Amino acid sequence: MDVKKLKFDALVYIFAVIFILPFLSSNANFHHVMIIFLIYAGLGEAWNIITGFGGQTSFGHAAFFGIGAYSSTILFYKFGVSPWLGMLVGIIISTVISAIVSYPCFRLKGHYFAIATLAVAEIIKQIFISWDYVEGATGISIPIVEESLAAMQFHSSKMPYFLIAFGLFIITVLTARYIENSRMGYYLKAIRESHEAAEALGINTTRYKLYAMMVSAALSATFGTLYAQYILYIDPFMVFTMEVSMKIVLLSVLGGLGNIYGPLIGAAILIPLSEYTRVYLGGTGKGVDLIIFGALIILVACFEPNGILGLLKKGVGKRRGLYARTDA
Amino acid sequence: MLLQVIFSGILVGFVYSLVAVGLTLIWGVMDVINFAHGDFLTISMYTVFWLYTLLKLDPLVSLPVATGLVFLLSFLTYKLIIKRVINAPGLTALLATFGLSLFIRNLAQYLWTPNYRFIPTSLVADKKLELAGVIIGMPQLVAAVGSIIMTVAVFYFLKYTKTGRAIQATSLDRDTAKLMGVNTEKIYALTFGISGACVGVAGALLATFFPIYPESGALYSLLAFVIVALGGFGNIAGALYGGVLIGLSEALGGYFLGTQFKYAVVFLIYLLVLQFKPKGLFGW
């Protein structure tokens, strides 16, 4: 019980630090990095519910992110509906689609499932590329209107975007935390450790995997809406690409799997690294930033194979003899 | 016309098979998803291109050079990177190979620009074969035949040589293989090398008719993932048939539904087949 309280306190401190950081600097570029960091950390947290807890590797989360982005954008672009309502529609569509496509895929195990999620995401991308109603491959420039909370558009400062991202992020982390400590979380972990054993104990594995996927998809969609409103332009290659899916996977693996702190730590390292190398070295258009980024990922994987969280746990364990057993 | 489409689908399918054979080997033997697989293909294509541009060597002549080079690079990749992550939990190996893929792709872009390059003249260029109204381009035919030869060679190597059997044993049970005196470390490095040789051959053959640019290999590796899963992980015969099936469905999908949907058809076929065979066509 004490450990649980301690963990909750840690979370409050982390939220406080993240919240204060952008107020310490008026640098717009720094604010941009914070927003992108929160979006990807949130996506990582959402992904972690199905993959980290449930052990079902998804290589296709860009699909839900993209559906969220497109739902609000289409409603705003064609009918002038507030993106907040669009976000809600995005949540519903993405939850329904995740249920429809995941249900048959859950018969597949391990890598077969992972490749199936990749296939589903690619099919959805292809559909959006050739779908005229959503402007296909050309993409949509979101009409610029006067800044307001209702239109989720702010032109004078990036801070409102940060606050929205922060809100969505907190909702996502708390949802993940709630699931982790609930009966469903224990079921999911049982499924991750041994599918057969979980079934033998009477857990309806398909049902709980489905719930986890639906929650994960719904949360991912919200960040899609925010991202579209923040960038004010979307096309299928931006939101549905495998790069987005892989970035979510990479940062969570980098941080440490199966724990709500993993994606947070991974995103805190990976996103500033990728954004700042892009800003300072990407200008030449020669890909120097990505060469360095790639090399750094290799080095981290080689020298800290358990993720950053593994490293931290090792350190804490040595000093206090706590957390000796990793639950990742 | 339909016959033409079927033929070209099958021909390109054999090349897909060879790329998938390389991927399935690593996946089956050491359970590592190599995201840099397609980038080794790109390296092979650039090797052939530069040997052609600088030394006027025909792609088919420089094929062994490119294959050897990629074999060596893959071998080194194992020794320097994969070795450190192979025992790590979950998806860490994936992290490393993804980093490697980013590194190679962007290094190629830095060194050789993102421009499309072509090899306009070669032994096989501009030659055609006409068979009962079906026109088959010589580069595609040679690529398919070369891919079949390499696939069969790998298959027989695994099945009938002592080293090949050691690879199979390691794949089935690493610890037991070790107890039987197999140097699993050496086997892993060799498997990675052979996997590289597969894309080395495929890359050199593709360079005769496919544009060469930093992301040439990306499409092939994406398709190879699907083919490997379709055929069953670690299954060479599965990769061969899977490749042909995917080549065929891509061609037919493009013919009947329009080229923009040809990859959607490929992924759909995967999802459909797996509904009936959840562990791949040849899974057990």
Side-chain angles (χ1 to χ4, degrees), chain B residues 61-278:
Chain B
V61 179
S62 47
L63 183 143
V65 182
T67 307
L69 179 76
V70 181
F71 176 90
L72 211 66
L73 284 176
S74 298
F75 192 87
L76 286 176
T77 301
Y78 176 77
K79 286 284 182 194
L80 295 176
I81 300 172
I82 307 300
K83 196 176 141 182
R84 297 172 196 276
V85 293
I86 197 161
N87 291 320
L91 301 161
T92 307
L94 181 122
L95 191 69
T97 59
F98 193 82
L100 183 65
S101 165
L102 270 182
F103 183 78
I104 296 175
R105 202 172 291 181
N106 289 286
L107 192 64
Q109 186 176 329
Y110 179 75
L111 293 174
W112 304 312
T113 76
N115 293 346
Y116 279 42
R117 322 261 190 162
F118 295 92
I119 296 180
T121 56
S122 67
L123 282 174
V124 293
D126 300 325
K127 292 200 177 101
K128 283 186 181 66
L129 214 71
E130 203 174 330
L131 248 171
V134 179
I135 301 160
I136 299 168
M138 202 47 133
Q140 285 85 347
L141 186 65
V142 171
V145 172
S147 298
I148 294 171
I149 293 172
M150 184 66 186
T151 305
V152 170
V154 171
F155 186 77
Y156 276 90
F157 173 76
L158 288 179
K159 198 129 191 160
Y160 295 110
T161 65
K162 205 173 167 191
T163 321
R165 286 193 187 147
I167 291 179
Q168 281 188 310
T170 313
S171 155
L172 284 173
D173 188 334
R174 181 184 165 186
D175 295 331
T176 312
K178 233 178 191 165
L179 286 175
M180 298 298 128
V182 175
N183 184 345
T184 51
E185 187 61 18
K186 218 165 100 188
I187 290 298
Y188 280 165
L190 187 68
T191 308
F192 234 87
I194 295 172
S195 160
C198 288
V199 279
V201 171
L205 291 167
L206 281 171
T208 55
F209 64 98
F210 198 78
I212 300 152
Y213 57 102
E215 296 195 356
S216 293
L219 169 69
Y220 286 88
S221 71
L222 182 61
L223 289 177
F225 283 132
V226 174
I227 294 164
V228 165
L230 191 63
F233 293 97
N235 192 323
I236 305 283
L240 176 63
Y241 295 121
V244 175
L245 180 63
I246 291 300
L248 203 56
S249 43
E250 176 194 326
L252 289 174
Y255 178 69
F256 286 113
L257 297 170
T259 39
Q260 72 269 36
F261 287 116
K262 63 182 184 180
Y263 296 117
V265 170
V266 165
F267 296 118
L268 208 60
I269 295 267
Y270 170 76
L271 293 175
L272 280 178
V273 168
L274 272 268
Q275 282 310 306
F276 299 102
K277 301 281 283 180

Side-chain angles (χ1 to χ4, degrees), chain A residues 59 104 107-108 111-112 115-116 118 122-123 126 130 242 250 285-287 290-291 293-294 297-298 301-302 305-306, chain B residues 27 31 35 84-85 88-89 92 95 98-100 103 106 109-110 222 229 232-233 260-261 267 270 274-275 279:
Chain A
F59 285 164
R107 290 184 50 205
L108 314 176
H111 296 317
Y112 294 99
I115 299 297
L118 185 107
E122 285 296 317
I123 291 173
Q126 296 293 335
S130 16
M242 215 175 117
L250 289 179
K286 281 185 159 179
L290 290 170
I291 298 176
F293 187 55
I297 295 180
I298 300 173
C302 285
N306 291 316
Chain B
W27 217 330
D31 202 28
F35 260 95
R84 297 172 196 276
V85 293
T92 307
L95 191 69
F98 193 82
L100 183 65
F103 183 78
N106 289 286
Q109 186 176 329
Y110 179 75
L222 182 61
F233 293 97
Q260 72 269 36
F261 287 116
F267 296 118
Y270 170 76
L274 272 268
Q275 282 310 306
K279 292 206 160 182

Side-chain angles (χ1 to χ4, degrees), chain A residues 62-63 65-67 69-70 73-74 124-131 134-142 224 227-229 231-244:
Chain A
F65 178 69
I67 288 171
Y70 264 96
T73 303
I74 290 296
I124 293 179
K125 178 172 119 192
Q126 296 293 335
I127 291 173
F128 272 84
I129 289 173
S130 16
W131 190 2
V134 300
E135 308 289 344
T138 355
I140 300 173
S141 286
I142 297 173
Y227 184 76
Q229 290 300 120
I231 304 286
L232 289 174
Y233 168 80
I234 52 166
D235 68 35
F237 307 100
M238 267 169 75
V239 291
F240 285 115
T241 123
M242 215 175 117
E243 264 82 64
V244 173

